[in-house]
Amino acid sequence: MRTIFFILQKEFLQIFRNRGMVAIIFLMPIIQLLVLANAANYEVRNLAIDVVDQDHSSWSQRLVNKLTASGYFKLHRQTFNEKAAFEDLQLDKADIVLMIPRHFERDLVREDKASLQLLVNAINGSKAGLANGYANNIIRSFNQNIRMEWLALDSRNGPAVIEVTYSNWFNTRLDYKVFMVPGIIVVLVTMIGAFLSGMNIVKEKEIGTIEQLNVTPIHKHHFILGKLIPFWIVALFELALGLLVGKLVFHLPMAGSLWLVFLFAAVYLWVMLGMGLLISTFTETQQQAMFIAWFFVIIFILMSGLFTPVENMPHWAQVLTWFNPIAYFVKVIRMVLLKGSGWANIQIYLLIMLVYALVMNGIAIWNYRKTT
Amino acid sequence: MRQFFVFARKEFYHIFRDKRTLLILFGMPVVQIVLFGFAITNEIKNAEIAVLDQSRDYYSNRLVQQLQAGSYFKIDQELQSHQAIEAAFKEGRIKMVVVIPPKFGESFFHLHKAQVQLLADAGDPNTATTLINYARAIIGNYQQQLNGPQAMPLTINTTVRMQYNPALKSVFLFVPGVMTLILLLVSAMMTSITIAREKELGTMEILLVSPLPPAMIVTGKVVPYIALAFINALVILGMGVWLFGMPIKGNIVLLLLECALFVLTSLGLGILISTVTDKQQTAMMASMMGLLMPTVLLSGFIFPVESMPLPLQLLSNVMPAKWFIIILKDIMLKGSGLRDIWPQSLVLCGMTLLFVTISIRKFKIRLS
């Protein structure tokens, strides 16, 4: 026990002696959280719209006003000339072009139908999808309004309607940051766990000091624990720091119990530390270790549902996420913080993490013995 | 000059001897492109929802069937009471609850008005918005069906054309993004680490006392990475074109020249990082936190730049990646020529010059 304590002391001294490291531990998370939470924003607003209004009627004017008043669209250019609008689309100056043909109002009145055309710059597929959805919704409600007015419909005589009301739970203002901040905290914690721990052991190998440690009476498991525990503590500290910044700056809701988050993180971190350890057992240089860790972490992050929901993926990819520790943590931290899920809802995930932690560390320690 | 080639050859040996790194260097872009292309989509399919049907009549039943019929929704559970809604959300599986109040059919036909309530889990705001839109469209169609063939007066038909990317494939956005990321990774991160490594291990001192001038040493160290970066770029382009049918509408020679320009810019950055750090860990952290993360987030590759707050929008202009991604997208998807993209190319040239100048001024030929 005393041996571990001394190794811990050495490790902490080494961490805090390195100024770069101290900056990474204390400053980086705050800066990252502030920058990332603002940058990682899929909220689509202020889309630049070009309107080619060849009708110039009162209804076409009203439609344009309704679009720009919605907050989703910003009028970039209103013109007669289709070419100018196409050019804007081509040059990325406009995200969407609405074409209102000549006699739009007249056709509506006389023939009971008229058509509009929307051209969407679809290079960014998800943005285009949302833009199209917003525009169609606005046009539909515009349609409803003019129909009511024109026919002065008495709801008893006209066609029957299904009235759809909706409400957004757990995030009534549809604040995207509330969705992203917990995920970004997961990424921060993961970086510390997976990268720094592995690199730290490899560094001893690369510099050659591991030989010196090997000839001391330190047991292997003492050495491993001594290497991993400091980063476990640092990562849990990061989690607290991240949650604090989230609370103070982004008003992150904390509906559930914070203890659950920390409990889950404590187990989750052993999976990540185990991964770092495993990588360190079969690499020789820090460059290699960093590279391999980066490769896996980036895949884990992309497939974790942090940016795009897991449910949207094809089935084979969803099966892969069962083996992705980051996916579990992202899911659990969002469930607990945003919805207030409790012990009963997350215990199964905690169990899975526990199994992964044991397996990962088991393999790593076994492999470690073999190679040194 | 001969000395230089010998030195560059030494670097090549270093890289090729390290099979694992090499494997990852070439495996990574392939895996990333495949994942991005096939797995990462924003298109919603089979979202799990719950239904609280309080009327349980023929018409509400049919509505539930209609919701389930398309590929958008999958009904995971039927709830019995309003109290069960929150608990269902907390389990974390379902994304939306459809509430049909009592006497749905009766009120539709007699009062000419029936109600449906959609409760979405807005923890993920965009998914919530999209699900509500889909559900409203389905309910709208159902309403039309119930009303029979009688045409609605004053109907506006909207036709939509998705320009440049009709199938809304995210791959078209990700191929340029991944390419930029990999080029940065290889050219900036790897070079900065390899130079920092010579410093950390103390071998830099030996190189500096050799008859090679410092500029040669640095150039010799980066040449192999230029080659690697270029091969990677070709692999990614090839996969984009043959696997995902991404077009290259513009001139391919111009495209490759721009790639070369960006490789130079990133090398400049990598050398710059290595002149200010002398530990691998620091160099790695600096390139990862300072380069790769901002590139992913601020270059408009995953998140649209327009929705960011103004300071970040301004900050994004400093990212070489942003300009390169614009160039790539314009050449590949829109077929732009040099006439359209010279401003961006000029920005990259300027950045390269800047990085190299600072590096030369900062480069220390003494270690302490």
Side-chain angles (χ1 to χ4, degrees), chain B residues 297-301 303-309 312-313 316 322:
Chain B
L297 290 153
L298 295 180
S299 60
F301 142 51
F303 299 106
V305 177
E306 316 74 275
S307 7
M308 294 176 194
L312 285 184
Q313 290 195 22
S316 75
K322 177 188 167 175

Side-chain angles (χ1 to χ4, degrees), chain B residues 1-16 212 216-217 219-225:
Chain B
M1 214 49 209
R2 217 181 58 105
Q3 285 165 324
F4 174 74
F5 283 119
V6 174
F7 187 78
R9 201 166 66 206
K10 156 193 165 290
E11 281 308 314
F12 268 112
Y13 284 148
H14 268 304
I15 296 174
F16 286 116
L212 272 174
M216 283 282 182
I217 296 176
T219 325
K221 285 203 84 75
V222 301
V223 163
Y225 290 100

Side-chain angles (χ1 to χ4, degrees), chain A residues 179-369:
Chain A
F179 175 62
M180 282 313 293
V181 168
I184 296 170
I185 294 176
V186 170
V187 172
L188 288 177
V189 170
T190 306
M191 294 269 194
I192 303 281
F195 282 101
L196 295 184
S197 64
M199 294 232 346
N200 206 320
I201 297 177
V202 180
K203 188 177 168 191
E204 305 258 8
K205 270 198 203 174
E206 194 173 357
I207 301 181
T209 43
I210 196 145
E211 303 268 320
Q212 292 169 14
L213 286 170
N214 280 345
V215 295
T216 61
I218 299 172
H219 289 292
K220 287 277 186 286
H221 63 270
H222 283 162
F223 174 70
I224 291 174
L225 281 177
K227 279 284 178 194
L228 296 189
I229 288 176
F231 292 103
W232 186 70
I233 295 174
V234 168
L236 285 177
F237 169 77
E238 295 288 279
L239 177 64
L241 193 65
L243 287 172
L244 189 71
V245 173
K247 180 82 194 163
L248 292 180
V249 181
F250 299 107
H251 309 291
L252 186 68
M254 293 181 182
S257 149
L258 280 186
W259 293 114
L260 277 184
V261 176
F262 277 96
L263 176 68
F264 195 88
V267 178
Y268 164 82
L269 274 170
W270 280 108
V271 182
M272 280 301 153
L273 291 169
M275 196 178 106
L277 180 65
L278 183 61
I279 291 172
S280 75
T281 58
F282 53 81
T283 49
E284 299 303 320
T285 64
Q286 293 181 61
Q287 198 180 9
Q288 278 179 356
M290 183 279 314
F291 222 48
I292 294 176
W294 201 80
F295 176 68
F296 284 107
V297 168
I298 221 76
I299 291 178
F300 281 167
I301 289 179
L302 289 174
M303 305 283 289
S304 68
L306 177 62
F307 301 117
T308 53
V310 173
E311 291 81 7
N312 297 358
M313 298 177 188
H315 185 71
W316 60 266
Q318 291 195 28
V319 171
L320 285 183
T321 61
W322 297 344
F323 303 97
N324 181 352
I326 298 183
Y328 289 100
F329 194 21
V330 167
K331 189 175 168 109
V332 167
I333 198 173
R334 279 185 183 149
M335 278 169 65
V336 175
L337 290 183
L338 303 185
K339 298 187 217 168
S341 302
W343 171 251
N345 303 119
I346 69 156
Q347 55 183 354
I348 176 75
Y349 303 118
L350 193 66
L351 192 70
I352 296 173
M353 274 303 100
L354 213 56
V355 173
Y356 283 178
L358 288 177
V359 171
M360 193 69 99
N361 285 293
I363 299 175
I365 290 169
W366 177 71
N367 203 22
Y368 186 84
R369 289 223 177 96

